């Protein structure tokens, strides 16, 4: 399980060590490739459980009518859709993603379902968010932080754009808490998931990377410390599905 201690100028792309300047375009290539099949693969890969993880995140958000929400790495808009309903016409949801293919899929899906009034779409890098200080009541990033080149920079950027009293929710794959589950999850991730990606999306390599990126992501306590180091307070996490996924929450005061 990775920490942020990497050689100068280097970072990880799955299990590969690469130049930091190359990661953004390599991750972009993965998500350009998987965008069209992203939703169906999420359902297949998680057996639909990702919907419960996202529902838990929404319930934990304490979002209210009139709030301004940033759904960072918002992809195809699952969280954006629900937040749009909750904040209502007096609120706003910004779906931001670094990948324009993912934004296009999300925008088309949401507009086809009639979500047009209070949603804005922005292509943005999490490490340098193009928003003013103290803008959002809530920032969420679901299954996106592990793909960011410098997670510390991204967390600091999120902290900056949150209003005082605002909160961050990070929903991300993490470390299973039982050894038997860890072994079973490894077997599934590296023996079944890439083959599923080949069969459904004709892209084994991208899903191999996604499996590797999960293993290289900081574990629960490491991510908690990283959030605290950039200024978040009352940071805690809740393990879901035995720690396969964890929801971290922190506040800006």
């Amino acid at each position: 399980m990775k920490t942020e201690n990497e050689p100068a100028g280097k970072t990880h792309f799955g299990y590969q060590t690469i130049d930091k300047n190359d990661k953004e375009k390599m991750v972009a290539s993965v998500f350009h490739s998987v965008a069209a099949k992203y939703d169906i693969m999420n359902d297949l890969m998680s057996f639909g459980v990702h919907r419960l993880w996202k529902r838990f995140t929404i319930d934990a958000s304490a979002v209210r009518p009139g709030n301004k929400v940033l759904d960072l790495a918002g992809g195809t808009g699952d969280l954006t859709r629900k937040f749009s309903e909750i904040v209502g016409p007096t609120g706003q949801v910004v779906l931001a993603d670094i990948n324009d293919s993912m934004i296009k899929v999300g925008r088309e899906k949401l507009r086809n379902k009639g979500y047009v009034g209070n949603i804005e779409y922005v292509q943005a890098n999490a490490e340098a968010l193009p928003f003013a200080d103290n803008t959002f009541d809530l920032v969420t990033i679901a299954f996106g932080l592990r793909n960011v080149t410098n997670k510390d920079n991204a967390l600091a950027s999120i902290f900056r754009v949150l209003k005082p009293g605002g909160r961050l929710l990070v929903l991300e794959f993490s470390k299973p808490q039982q050894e038997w589950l860890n072994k079973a999850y490894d077997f599934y991730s590296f023996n079944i998931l890439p083959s599923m990606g080949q069969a459904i999306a004709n892209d084994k390599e991208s899903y191999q990377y996604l499996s590797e990126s999960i293993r290289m992501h900081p574990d629960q306590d490491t991510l908690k410390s990283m959030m605290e180091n950039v200024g978040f307070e009352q940071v805690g996490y809740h393990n879901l599905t035995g720690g396969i996924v964890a929801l971290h929450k922190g506040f800006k005061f």
Side-chain angles (χ1 to χ4, degrees), residues 13 43 57 62 67 116-117 152 162 174 179 183 185 195 211-212 217 227-228 235 241:
F13 179 78
D43 279 331
T57 302
N67 278 174
V116 295
D152 294 312
L162 274 170
S174 201
E179 187 57 31
K183 289 180 178 178
Y185 187 46
S195 297
S211 294
E212 293 175 2
H217 185 68
M227 291 172 65
E228 290 169 339
V235 179
T241 317

Side-chain angles (χ1 to χ4, degrees), residues 49-58 72 79 139-146 168-174 217 223 238-240 244-249:
V49 179
H50 77 98
R51 297 178 183 273
L52 299 179
W53 297 332
K54 291 170 182 172
R55 182 73 253 182
F56 185 87
T57 302
I58 292 160
L72 187 56
L79 292 180
V139 177
T140 60
I141 180 165
F143 305 116
L145 186 61
R146 72 181 188 279
L168 166 65
L169 294 177
V170 180
L171 181 67
E172 188 56 89
F173 293 106
S174 201
H217 185 68
L223 180 54
H238 189 100
N239 285 319
L240 303 170
I244 288 175
V245 164
L247 177 66
H248 284 69
K249 187 174 186 177

Side-chain angles (χ1 to χ4, degrees), residues 193-247:
L193 183 56
S195 297
M196 193 182 297
Q198 179 63 36
I200 304 300
N202 195 32
D203 189 349
K204 181 177 182 179
E205 290 77 15
S206 290
Y207 286 93
Q208 180 75 27
Y209 158 72
L210 292 173
S211 294
E212 293 175 2
S213 71
I214 291 168
R215 295 306 177 276
M216 300 303 291
H217 185 68
D219 64 18
Q220 289 92 323
D221 288 324
T222 303
L223 180 54
K224 178 177 182 286
S225 296
M226 291 167 65
M227 291 172 65
E228 290 169 339
N229 288 342
V230 301
F232 285 100
E233 298 181 39
Q234 297 183 11
V235 179
Y237 60 83
H238 189 100
N239 285 319
L240 303 170
T241 317
I244 288 175
V245 164
L247 177 66

Side-chain angles (χ1 to χ4, degrees), residues 84-151:
S84 172
E85 295 172 358
I86 295 168
V87 303
T90 61
Q92 184 185 35
V93 184
V94 178
L95 189 162
D97 202 292
I98 197 170
N99 189 278
D100 64 333
S101 294
M102 295 292 285
I103 292 175
K104 288 174 183 175
V105 171
R107 181 169 53 216
E108 181 178 7
K109 182 175 78 171
L110 291 171
R111 288 180 175 174
N112 285 345
K113 292 182 177 180
Y115 292 87
V116 295
N118 60 358
I119 301 173
E120 181 181 355
Y121 301 88
V122 176
Q123 187 171 0
N125 186 331
E127 295 183 43
L129 293 170
F131 308 109
D133 295 0
N134 309 318
T135 296
F136 296 99
D137 299 287
L138 170 73
V139 177
T140 60
I141 180 165
F143 305 116
L145 186 61
R146 72 181 188 279
N147 298 308
V148 173
T149 302
N150 190 311
K151 298 171 184 61

